[in-house]
Amino acid sequence: MGSKTGLVLLTVISCLTLSGCSIIPNHSPQRKNYAASFSFDNSTPFLTAAKGQYQTQFDVKVSDWSQNYDKKNCEVFLIVTDKDHVPVTDLETNNPNDFSYGGWFNLDAENSALESLGLQPFPTQSSINNWFNVINNSQTTSKFIARTNKPVNPNDWRFVIMAIRGEQGGAKVLWTKVVSPS
């Protein structure tokens, strides 16, 4: 290797080391790289609830959502739940370009984590669709509608950011962040 090439390589390595940048993705998603907030939206709903269902509309803002982790073995979800243990039977967004239904779940791992936080676990009597992946953007906004079979006290709603890692047919919750309404 010539002295010029060696100098350029040394400079690149030094810059990456000093800046904290990495060309290798993190093995696991880092808790500090994810942030979201939500508030209630009392404007006209973008969807209508089925008869006998209750629905709540939220304005959701994701202000940080890193994609820098091993996606083969890990995933990060945005889960909509509540403290009153009323199952969320359905969840919709008006921004499918930036939010998509989550792909992984393992009831033992996620439900245990939610229960330990005093929150409603995934309903098991119907399809589990109260979690989303954030795609395409690290910063995005959306309206969400959550449907339940009973009304939920507005102060009881929570969004949870949860990171999991698959482990030999199971899953391990790496960390959670609980977001209260603002």
Side-chain angles (χ1 to χ4, degrees), residues 46-47 90-94 101 132 143-147:
F46 65 89
L47 290 173
D90 196 13
L91 184 69
E92 299 287 346
T93 178
N94 70 346
Y101 280 124
F132 274 78
K143 290 185 187 302
F144 275 43
I145 286 180
R147 294 197 182 100

Side-chain angles (χ1 to χ4, degrees), residues 17-62:
T17 303
L18 292 174
S19 69
C21 287
S22 174
I23 53 175
I24 301 169
N26 292 318
H27 175 66
S28 297
Q30 304 298 305
R31 190 176 192 275
K32 65 182 179 183
N33 295 331
Y34 299 85
S37 60
F38 76 98
S39 59
F40 298 98
D41 182 344
N42 295 317
S43 64
T44 303
F46 65 89
L47 290 173
T48 305
K51 189 173 181 173
Q53 284 193 322
Y54 296 85
Q55 71 180 31
T56 305
Q57 184 164 282
F58 309 103
D59 285 321
V60 178
K61 180 179 181 184
V62 172

Side-chain angles (χ1 to χ4, degrees), residues 114-131:
L114 291 172
E115 285 176 349
S116 74
L117 298 168
L119 298 174
Q120 167 64 34
F122 298 135
T124 55
Q125 74 276 14
S126 61
S127 59
I128 304 163
N129 55 2
N130 60 330
W131 81 97

Side-chain angles (χ1 to χ4, degrees), residues 42-111:
N42 295 317
S43 64
T44 303
F46 65 89
L47 290 173
T48 305
K51 189 173 181 173
Q53 284 193 322
Y54 296 85
Q55 71 180 31
T56 305
Q57 184 164 282
F58 309 103
D59 285 321
V60 178
K61 180 179 181 184
V62 172
S63 53
D64 195 6
W65 200 277
S66 173
Q67 301 293 346
N68 184 28
Y69 61 87
D70 173 12
K71 292 175 190 63
K72 180 181 174 191
N73 295 310
C74 299
E75 194 155 2
V76 185
F77 297 117
L78 184 64
I79 303 168
V80 181
T81 185
D82 67 90
K83 289 173 57 181
D84 196 29
H85 287 72
V86 177
V88 175
T89 57
D90 196 13
L91 184 69
E92 299 287 346
T93 178
N94 70 346
N95 185 355
N97 291 327
D98 291 334
F99 295 89
S100 69
Y101 280 124
W104 295 8
F105 66 90
N106 181 294
L107 294 176
D108 293 334
E110 285 93 332
N111 279 354

